[in-house]
Amino acid sequence: MEKIPNRGPALIVYYHGAIPIDYYYFLAHVIIQKGRTCHSVADHFLFKIPGFKLLLEVFSVIHGPQEECVRALRNGHLLGISPGGVREAMFSDETYRLFWGKRKGFAQVAIDCQVPIIPMFTQNLREGFRSLGTLSK
């Protein structure tokens, strides 16, 4: 929390556990401690769930093309992104393997906007909820 600026943009990059409850608590903590919201990037499939799109918009969730991420940061917002996303949530295991693949757009967004990158990791997050298992190589 001490790295989160009181104002201005920053990119928070976090590990996506099976249920990212740590990130939800982080979002609440930012509101309480810093008095600001953090925009979040979510998988596009969430926006297709009937009735869910409005809820996502209320909580400043975007579906994450680079242009939209750049716009959020240039407007001075905090932006949280988990490059591993749903694949990481479902297939990582107790070794906390990252599933970023070729997802490096978040780094280009940070370069384009010249914002700080704040990594976030919660120890033992995977042990709280078990998932399906690992992907074979």
Side-chain angles (χ1 to χ4, degrees):
M1 282 304 294
E2 67 275 2
K3 303 286 185 193
I4 305 298
N6 291 325
R7 60 191 160 142
L11 183 63
I12 293 94
V13 179
Y14 67 97
Y15 172 84
H16 197 309
I19 298 177
I21 191 94
D22 61 331
Y23 185 67
Y24 304 150
Y25 279 111
F26 165 77
L27 293 174
H29 203 67
V30 168
I31 292 169
I32 293 166
Q33 292 284 318
K34 301 286 184 172
R36 54 187 312 203
T37 58
C38 179
H39 290 225
S40 302
V41 176
D43 198 290
H44 66 279
F45 82 86
L46 290 174
F47 291 84
K48 296 182 185 210
I49 298 172
F52 211 61
K53 184 177 180 184
L54 179 61
L55 181 66
L56 295 171
E57 288 173 5
V58 167
F59 286 102
S60 302
V61 179
I62 60 177
H63 71 295
Q66 286 184 13
E67 301 81 29
E68 203 169 342
C69 293
V70 166
R71 186 175 321 117
L73 290 168
R74 287 197 174 142
N75 286 333
H77 298 292
L78 299 172
L79 180 66
I81 187 166
S82 174
V86 174
R87 288 190 65 174
E88 196 167 80
M90 292 180 64
F91 300 112
S92 187
D93 58 21
E94 68 279 353
T95 64
Y96 292 85
R97 224 168 48 140
L98 300 177
F99 282 88
W100 292 6
K102 295 181 182 187
R103 294 180 172 184
K104 297 181 180 115
F106 73 95
Q108 188 62 52
V109 166
I111 290 167
D112 291 347
C113 294
Q114 294 294 298
V115 299
I117 300 174
I118 303 167
M120 183 178 113
F121 176 76
T122 303
Q123 187 174 352
N124 296 324
L125 179 66
R126 291 241 45 115
E127 285 69 28
F129 297 95
R130 291 290 175 202
S131 58
L132 301 176
T134 59
L135 288 173
S136 51
K137 293 183 180 181

